[in-house]
Amino acid sequence: MNKPKNWIAILDFGSQYTHLIARRVRECGVYSEIVSYDIKAQELLSRGPSAIIFSGGPASVLRKESPVCDKNIFNIGIPVLGICYGAQLMARILGGEVARAKQREYGKAILKLKSSKDLLKGLARKETVWMSHGDKIIALPGGFKVIGSTANAKVAAMGDEIRRLYGLQFHPEVVHTPKGKKILKNFLFGIAKCKSGWNMSSFVKTSIKALRARTGKEKVLCALSGGVDSSVLAILLHKAIGKRLRAIFIDNGLLRKDEKREVRKQFKDHYRINLKTIDARDIFLKGLRGVKDPEKKRKIIGKLFIRVFEREAKQLGKIKFLAQGTLYPDVIESRSAIGGPSAIIKTHHNVGGLPPNLKFELIEPLKDLFKDEVRVVGKELGLPADILWRQPFPGPGLAVRIIGEITKKKLDILREADWILIDEIKKADLYRKLWQAFCIFLPVRTVGVMGDERTYENVVVIRAVVSEDAMTARWAKLPYDVLEQISNRIINEVKGINRVVYDVSSKPPSTIEWE
């Protein structure tokens, strides 16, 4: 994808919130892209960003092995905003001093402004901000001034107006900093002089043009699962290359109930896409036999997907390209598994499961987008709401919603329970209000009583969360009568379950998925 004239480079120092910065910048109408923290200053300059943002990170700038950027970045004349670790790194490189804080500051704090212009223009004298740090800046670099303080951090915000270098100890990208977007807008439009223009209409036009140019007259295989991402991908490719698209739906036995039927109905019958469905249930179940570790599950599934595609490609003739619906969060969450500075959360099969000897050229036109942007792209392409607003479903499917070993029996039980859950959520008009709702199969059995007889059956967990971006999430406070109806139906209608429990943990510290 060709970058717009105005764009922001975000240097990733490993924060799990890095992509939130990128998302907030895009919400302001400016394209942003995450790059490695160790990019050279001259390379960055040649790529022409309007400004640079340093992300936070889990490391301490006081440790020798912590990530450090090219020091020349501060001399190329481009505005820089450092956030948390990024601010501390900026201070240390430019001659300031950072020390271990006596008391770690985590959560809400009150920012007292020392200056109400430039970066903090338009803010009140006191603002709520979100802190998460164990180090703090105790001496400013030359040319900097303190522009904001909190009770535990004298240098909570600093700035050098002449060189257009700024640092924030708090996180403006999270929703817990109410005026965070205002601060980012001040940096983007007031300091960096960006112009708003990034939108999904322009993305669609640019992507179609780029896809036609890259593929020429070659055929493209598209991995279609029926989820939002792959559905948007398929229609985008269909618009771009028409009959040269070969969409393939793999039934790997890890999908939701009736998934194959719904995909065929929508894409083959309605959109007239060249779609082939493959029954690979036995292949995947055999490959997952005895595997309990979630990372191994993901990588096995990723490799099997590619293997099946390669087999099908031979039958379809020469096919050069494979398209996947990889999104930006997939890439970011897998970054540490492929050499990035982030702490490992999980590997996505679209990223971490690909073999090194891949026999296709990979096409991932959505890999720079977030979920909400993909939905807007889908709307631009005319996809119906029931596809666009499907809740996220993991690439490895039900394999990571069964804790422990995968069996056909467990899959069948979980599939039925999950279908009942979603059915009742929709009946209660809660589906669009939840980020995700799904069931998890636990590797434990409990005693129950059914029809005056003792049972010893399985446990299913209901997980339902509300979220804006999936990086933070709160457990959903579903009405008791809805939970009761879901529980009654699952226990009565799904043979093999005699207990239903509800997950009341938020993210962080828990993740949304259990594996």
Side-chain angles (χ1 to χ4, degrees):
M1 186 189 72
N2 295 322
K3 282 188 281 290
K5 186 176 180 180
N6 291 284
W7 74 281
I8 305 300
I10 300 170
L11 269 61
D12 180 16
F13 290 95
S15 172
Q16 298 304 326
Y17 295 143
T18 298
H19 88 290
L20 274 184
I21 304 171
R23 184 171 179 233
R24 297 294 180 246
V25 171
R26 294 187 190 186
E27 287 172 357
C28 296
V30 180
Y31 179 71
S32 60
E33 186 174 301
I34 297 170
V35 299
S36 177
Y37 71 89
D38 58 0
I39 187 171
K40 296 300 180 183
Q42 285 306 310
E43 181 186 346
L44 196 55
L45 185 62
S46 69
R47 293 170 66 176
S50 302
I52 302 165
I53 297 178
F54 287 6
S55 81
S60 167
V61 297
L62 302 175
R63 300 179 64 178
K64 289 183 179 180
E65 64 271 22
S66 295
V68 178
C69 66
D70 183 346
K71 299 176 182 179
N72 292 317
I73 283 175
F74 300 107
N75 300 320
I76 59 178
I78 298 175
V80 180
L81 172 63
I83 296 174
C84 198
Y85 178 92
Q88 295 163 4
L89 182 64
M90 177 189 292
R92 201 161 197 237
I93 288 175
L94 296 176
E97 189 175 348
V98 178
R100 195 71 184 165
K102 292 181 180 179
Q103 182 179 353
R104 185 168 187 261
E105 193 171 20
Y106 181 83
K108 291 183 179 180
I110 300 300
L111 178 72
K112 295 182 180 180
L113 271 63
K114 305 291 184 181
S115 170
S116 57
K117 60 179 182 178
D118 292 332
L119 189 65
L120 304 181
K121 185 178 180 180
L123 273 64
R125 289 181 61 191
K126 294 182 179 181
E127 294 284 359
T128 300
V129 297
W130 184 262
M131 291 284 197
S132 178
H133 64 100
D135 297 338
K136 64 179 181 179
I137 301 166
I138 61 172
L140 291 172
F144 279 79
K145 295 179 181 178
V146 177
I147 58 176
S149 301
T150 67
N152 292 323
K154 181 181 178 182
V155 187
M158 65 179 188
D160 180 337
E161 298 174 14
I162 303 299
R163 290 185 289 176
R164 296 185 297 170
L165 305 176
Y166 296 86
L168 299 174
Q169 185 60 74
F170 58 89
H171 290 268
E173 71 273 24
V174 301
V175 294
H176 309 298
T177 300
K179 295 291 180 65
K181 189 178 285 189
K182 171 65 176 171
I183 295 171
L184 290 174
K185 284 183 176 180
N186 286 340
F187 179 69
L188 297 173
F189 304 117
I191 296 168
K193 307 302 180 185
C194 292
K195 292 182 180 179
S196 178
W198 167 252
N199 58 67
M200 292 303 99
S201 178
S202 63
F203 172 85
V204 169
K205 293 176 184 176
T206 302
S207 296
I208 288 176
K209 185 177 180 180
L211 285 167
R212 287 172 179 166
R214 183 178 176 189
T215 59
K217 296 182 179 181
E218 299 285 348
K219 297 174 184 176
V220 179
L221 273 179
C222 172
L224 180 58
S225 70
V228 177
D229 309 334
S230 69
S231 296
V232 172
L233 172 68
I235 300 302
L236 181 64
L237 285 165
H238 186 56
K239 292 273 187 182
I241 64 173
K243 294 181 180 180
R244 287 189 288 113
L245 171 63
R246 299 291 187 271
I248 293 182
F249 175 84
I250 296 178
D251 182 0
N252 58 8
L254 309 172
L255 303 174
R256 291 169 285 199
K257 185 177 179 179
D258 294 333
E259 196 78 22
K260 183 194 293 186
R261 181 174 60 82
E262 290 298 323
V263 168
R264 286 183 62 88
K265 177 182 176 183
Q266 189 67 248
F267 293 93
K268 190 176 182 67
D269 300 340
H270 178 70
Y271 285 107
R272 304 295 180 184
I273 286 178
N274 191 338
L275 173 67
K276 183 176 182 179
T277 58
I278 308 298
D279 186 348
R281 289 174 293 180
D282 291 343
I283 295 173
F284 280 81
L285 282 174
K286 183 179 179 181
L288 291 166
R289 189 176 298 156
V291 179
K292 297 181 180 179
D293 180 78
E295 278 295 292
K296 288 183 179 179
K297 289 180 187 177
R298 290 176 183 275
K299 291 183 178 180
I300 288 169
I301 291 166
K303 289 174 182 177
L304 288 175
F305 259 103
I306 296 301
R307 190 179 302 165
V308 172
F309 269 107
E310 288 177 340
R311 184 189 68 191
E312 293 305 315
K314 289 180 181 179
Q315 297 179 13
L316 292 171
K318 182 183 177 183
I319 294 185
K320 185 176 182 180
F321 298 100
L322 168 63
Q324 289 194 133
T326 307
L327 301 192
Y328 219 178
D330 297 338
V331 175
I332 295 165
E333 287 197 341
S334 297
R335 191 179 298 276
S336 61
I338 53 177
S342 304
I344 293 176
I345 302 300
K346 58 186 176 183
T347 300
H348 287 262
H349 84 285
N350 283 12
V351 182
L354 296 177
N357 60 338
L358 184 67
K359 296 180 181 179
F360 303 102
E361 282 189 34
L362 205 57
I363 292 179
E364 298 173 302
L366 307 179
K367 70 181 177 65
D368 294 319
L369 301 186
F370 298 108
K371 178 72 75 174
D372 54 335
E373 292 176 317
V374 171
R375 286 193 168 110
V376 178
V377 168
K379 189 175 181 180
E380 288 281 339
L381 293 169
L383 267 73
D386 60 339
I387 291 180
L388 292 180
W389 290 100
R390 292 194 78 179
Q391 293 179 358
F393 187 67
L398 300 180
V400 291
R401 291 180 178 173
I402 293 175
I403 310 304
E405 185 179 359
I406 310 298
T407 66
K408 183 180 182 302
K409 182 178 180 181
K410 291 177 183 178
L411 285 164
D412 290 340
I413 290 173
L414 182 57
R415 223 183 318 268
E416 290 299 320
D418 195 70
W419 188 89
I420 290 170
L421 168 65
I422 297 303
D423 186 48
E424 290 299 326
I425 290 292
K426 288 180 176 178
K427 285 179 181 177
D429 196 26
L430 294 170
Y431 189 78
R432 288 278 295 270
K433 297 174 184 177
L434 300 173
W435 178 266
Q436 272 178 288
F438 56 90
C439 290
I440 304 102
F441 186 101
L442 294 188
V444 296
R445 301 179 74 187
T446 68
V447 174
V449 178
M450 291 185 183
D452 295 326
E453 293 184 359
R454 178 184 182 275
T455 62
Y456 194 54
E457 300 289 1
N458 301 291
V459 180
V460 158
V461 179
I462 295 172
R463 178 72 158 146
V465 298
V466 290
S467 177
E468 290 187 4
D469 43 48
M471 286 308 295
T472 61
R474 304 187 314 275
W475 62 275
K477 297 178 181 178
L478 298 180
Y480 288 160
D481 59 335
V482 174
L483 283 171
E484 182 179 27
Q485 178 66 6
I486 293 168
S487 176
N488 286 343
R489 281 195 63 189
I490 289 175
I491 291 172
N492 288 326
E493 297 178 28
V494 183
K495 187 176 180 180
I497 297 175
N498 69 356
R499 192 176 300 273
V500 175
V501 298
Y502 191 53
D503 183 348
V504 294
S505 50
S506 294
K507 177 184 180 179
S510 303
T511 55
I512 295 176
E513 297 284 350
W514 276 44
E515 287 195 340

